[in-house]
Amino acid sequence: MEYTNIIIITKKFSFILFFFSIFYACFELQTSMSGPGLACDPSNSVTRSLPFCKTNLPIQVRVRDLIGRLTLQEKIRLLVNNAAPVERLGIRRYEWWNEALHGVSNVGPGTRFGGAFPGATSFPQVITSAAAFNSSLWEAIGRVVSDEARAMYNGGAAGLTFWSPNVNVLRDPRWGRSQETPGEDPHVVAQYAVSYVKGLQGGANPNNHLKLAACCKHYTAYDLDDWKGIDRYHYNARVSAQDLEDTYNVPFKACVEEGKVASVMCSYNQVNGKPTCADPNLLRGIIRGQWHLNGYIVSDCDSVGVMFEQQHFTETPEDTVAATIKAGLDLDCGPYLAVYTEKAVRTGKLSEGDVNNALSNTLTVQMRLGLFDGAQQPYGYLGPKDVCSPAHQQLALQAAREGIVLLKNTGRSLPLSPQRHRTVAVIGPNSDVTVTMIGNYAGVPCGYTTPLHGIGRYAKTVHQPGCSGVACTSNQNFGLAEIAARHSDATVLVMGLDQSIEREAKDRVSLLLPGLQQELVARVARASKGPTILVLMSGGPVDVTFAKDDPKISAILWAGYPGQAGGAAIADVLFGTVNPGGRLPMTWYPENYVQKVGMTNMEMRAGGGYPGRTYRFYKGPVVFPFGAGMSYSNFKQSLAHAPTTLSVPLLATTANTTTRLGDEIKVAHTNCDSLNLELHVDVKNAGEMDGTHTVMLFSAPPRLANNMAHPERQLVAFEKVYVMAGAQKRVRLNVNACKHLSLVDQFGVRRIPMGEHSLHIGDDLKHSLSLQTSLEQIKV
């Protein structure tokens, strides 16, 4: 999400847009707050007695009172991200746009660093944290980020509405924003969304109050930015009802229903010919009607303007504004609603009641945040001491450690020994980077530990970048790198990508290492007298088949973009202070996959020569599979408890319309609350080093007569457990048949197949679960 500067201004409206853009830019130069509280200052004798300022009244009553006091022009100026002040009511201006993807960010104009807040804790990029497969970690990160954001808000340096997280499923490995997502599995992405949102918003609050207001984005089927001349502003994602229900919308549904998120952001692209921000079915029908969002819907930045200027969705800007608000949009990140809404109302394209409905949703969230409570701020104790605290920075290090994935370890080359490997050659364009480690949508970190500095804590280092950057266009310095490797006890090559290769508005066209990186790795490996370890920084997957097959390359680590403490975490794993336990949250495809499959094909399922997407449907060869990850220990799993049958009761009103026993039951035709089951798995650490292990439970459905093109298998539960060497722990996995064992038919209807479901734990442990229709019906 960014201000795009892409709007092509027509002559008719050029003056007003030019004037507004200057006005808008002036707002961006200022902080979103000058102190706690947006309104209802107790020293203001005019407003303190008004109903909208009375905290003992229900929020809906307060909102209704405030809206009734606003003029149409005042209302309209509150419909955009840089909401204007209403001075006669003591309401300050407010900047809605703040970002906190993996730490408080200064991408949006609502947040600034400096003075008492020179930086904030920068956690690993989301794809790296996702590799930890640790939902409690994800929520803990959210809590820390919310503490730091509230502290900055109290100091006038940030707002309270943060447009994070990104919960789009990683469909295509070339997507430049792969780094921002929790990976390719809908269940993992959904669980990440729920955990992080709970952390940001303060968890369950009986008073409906919010610590921060999170936002799940970008709804929906958005995962193409700019690929071979096709950009997100013009792209029409053609998505089947089946794929929408069982892949693209899964995380958003969980975010709203389970995470209770306060906001959803609609995306730039069209879905099946209609812009998402103007689709009443997607917004009012699904987000509000089916999922019951308690919050507001915001557009991606400038997407309302894009809808008219680029997509030519309507004949006039007023028609565009009317279409979006009527569809369910409440807030525009951009100027369009502020510029064109009044004329849309005056010409009858939109009613003031429509404006009131939108405003009601945004004001409700602001009141839940306490912005209309005056000085009564429940988190007012947070301040500069709570930003970049030692505990917060330690959590950033822990997250980086947990997210690092060991993909190859020939002959137990790792961990290195400080006694045997006293001199280490540290080579590669990412070997001493700082900003690269924090990825995109980052802020100013508390500090950096680069890989070179981290390794330097364990051994003497000899540093040779080899290339001047990840583009690696020259081999002029390869010889120096070879010399360093030849005279060192071990060699660590830190290679991969950065934001010049993959980012928002820049998709990749190849999965190979850029430029001459592969040549550098191969030459250094041949020259190295000791073990050669390849460390990769990247958001998306990289085809490193050459390194996987090269016996001279002893080990491969993937670190993603590991955040401010990334270098320390990498070194801790290399030298065995930490036992790696990360798992890949996405499939690593070979290069020929992307040569055969265009990014614009949104189909998930394989068929007709099309190989399919993600581990759930892809049937071809891989470099590394989803869930890959090794350890320095040897973990053994055994099934301690699992049911063998589960009865699925029918609702009495639907029993006659349901097909015979042995077929599928619509999820809507049973009582999902009664279909919970629990599996117990014992995990034994048979190795010599303490470590973490992720238990991953997959389900394979029975073969169906109606051929729903179901996944070969899909992840239904996971749990991370720490086990000391020689010890054993029991893990409990919870499964709900409606949520985890159902499939989606071609009409987008979720059904539970009866028959034998095969549950897989790892590669070797399997268990059969029989689902049977219950003859005892449920009364409605």
Side-chain angles (χ1 to χ4, degrees), residues 7 29 105 126 151 191 242 245 247 278 286 306 310 341 350 409 415 419 448 473 526 529 561 581 592 656 699 743 759:
I7 297 178
L29 295 175
S105 167
V126 175
Q191 187 57 55
Q242 188 176 43
E245 171 64 25
T247 297
I286 296 177
V306 165
Q310 300 294 304
T341 299
L350 193 66
N409 194 17
Q419 290 73 41
Y448 290 106
T473 57
R526 286 196 299 269
K529 77 170 184 179
Y561 295 123
N592 63 8
N656 293 332
S699 170
L743 301 174
L759 303 180

Side-chain angles (χ1 to χ4, degrees), residues 702-726:
R703 295 290 173 181
L704 303 175
N706 67 356
N707 188 23
M708 278 199 264
H710 55 73
E712 291 295 311
R713 61 174 187 145
Q714 59 186 0
L715 187 67
V716 297
F718 60 90
E719 189 69 35
K720 192 159 194 170
V721 60
Y722 179 84
V723 188
M724 297 178 65

Side-chain angles (χ1 to χ4, degrees), residues 742-759:
S742 61
L743 301 174
V744 177
D745 66 20
Q746 63 269 34
F747 304 107
V749 177
R750 193 168 287 275
R751 300 171 178 269
I752 307 172
M754 300 298 102
E756 299 294 320
H757 291 248
S758 181
L759 303 180

Side-chain angles (χ1 to χ4, degrees), residues 28 116 131 133 176 289 333 482 503 547 593 599 611 660:
E28 289 189 24
F133 280 85
C333 178
E482 290 173 294
R503 65 175 186 273
Y593 174 83
M599 275 194 78
R660 65 187 184 280

Side-chain angles (χ1 to χ4, degrees), residues 197-399:
V197 165
K198 285 182 176 179
L200 284 180
Q201 296 192 164
N205 191 314
N207 296 319
N208 201 27
H209 291 166
L210 294 166
K211 187 177 182 183
L212 298 182
C215 175
C216 287
K217 61 184 185 183
H218 312 80
Y219 178 79
T220 182
Y222 166 64
D223 54 7
L224 181 151
D225 269 60
D226 194 346
W227 177 77
K228 294 187 175 181
I230 302 169
D231 64 46
R232 57 187 176 175
Y233 312 117
H234 299 88
Y235 180 52
N236 177 22
R238 299 198 176 277
V239 185
S240 68
Q242 188 176 43
D243 286 338
L244 199 64
E245 171 64 25
D246 85 343
T247 297
Y248 298 112
N249 280 359
V250 170
F252 292 98
K253 180 179 182 181
C255 208
V256 174
E257 292 187 340
E258 299 174 48
K260 308 299 181 185
V261 74
S263 176
V264 173
M265 175 181 286
C266 48
S267 54
Y268 289 108
N269 58 290
Q270 298 182 11
V271 172
N272 298 327
K274 185 170 289 188
T276 62
C277 293
D279 190 328
N281 177 57
L282 289 178
L283 304 189
R284 289 197 187 279
I286 296 177
I287 295 180
R288 292 206 183 278
Q290 295 180 22
W291 302 341
H292 308 294
L293 172 70
N294 180 16
Y296 69 97
I297 299 174
V298 60
S299 71
D300 206 338
C301 291
D302 283 334
S303 64
V304 178
V306 165
M307 205 179 299
F308 175 73
E309 304 289 353
Q310 300 294 304
Q311 298 176 357
H312 309 296
F313 178 62
T314 63
E315 293 184 0
T316 69
E318 291 78 18
D319 290 326
T320 293
V321 165
T324 58
I325 293 178
K326 286 182 176 180
L329 187 71
D330 302 309
L331 186 72
D332 178 14
C333 178
Y336 245 63
L337 293 193
V339 176
Y340 297 109
T341 299
E342 183 172 1
K343 187 175 179 182
V345 173
R346 301 296 185 204
T347 56
K349 299 176 185 293
L350 193 66
S351 71
E352 188 167 352
D354 294 323
V355 174
N356 292 345
N357 289 337
L359 200 55
S360 175
N361 292 322
T362 56
L363 290 174
T364 296
V365 169
Q366 288 184 320
M367 288 195 180
R368 292 173 63 196
L369 286 163
L371 291 174
F372 285 81
D373 294 351
Q376 301 177 39
Q377 298 297 316
Y379 302 98
Y381 60 89
L382 294 169
K385 71 182 189 311
D386 300 295
V387 181
C388 287
S389 69
H392 292 181
Q393 295 194 62
Q394 182 62 33
L395 185 63
L397 174 60
Q398 177 189 337

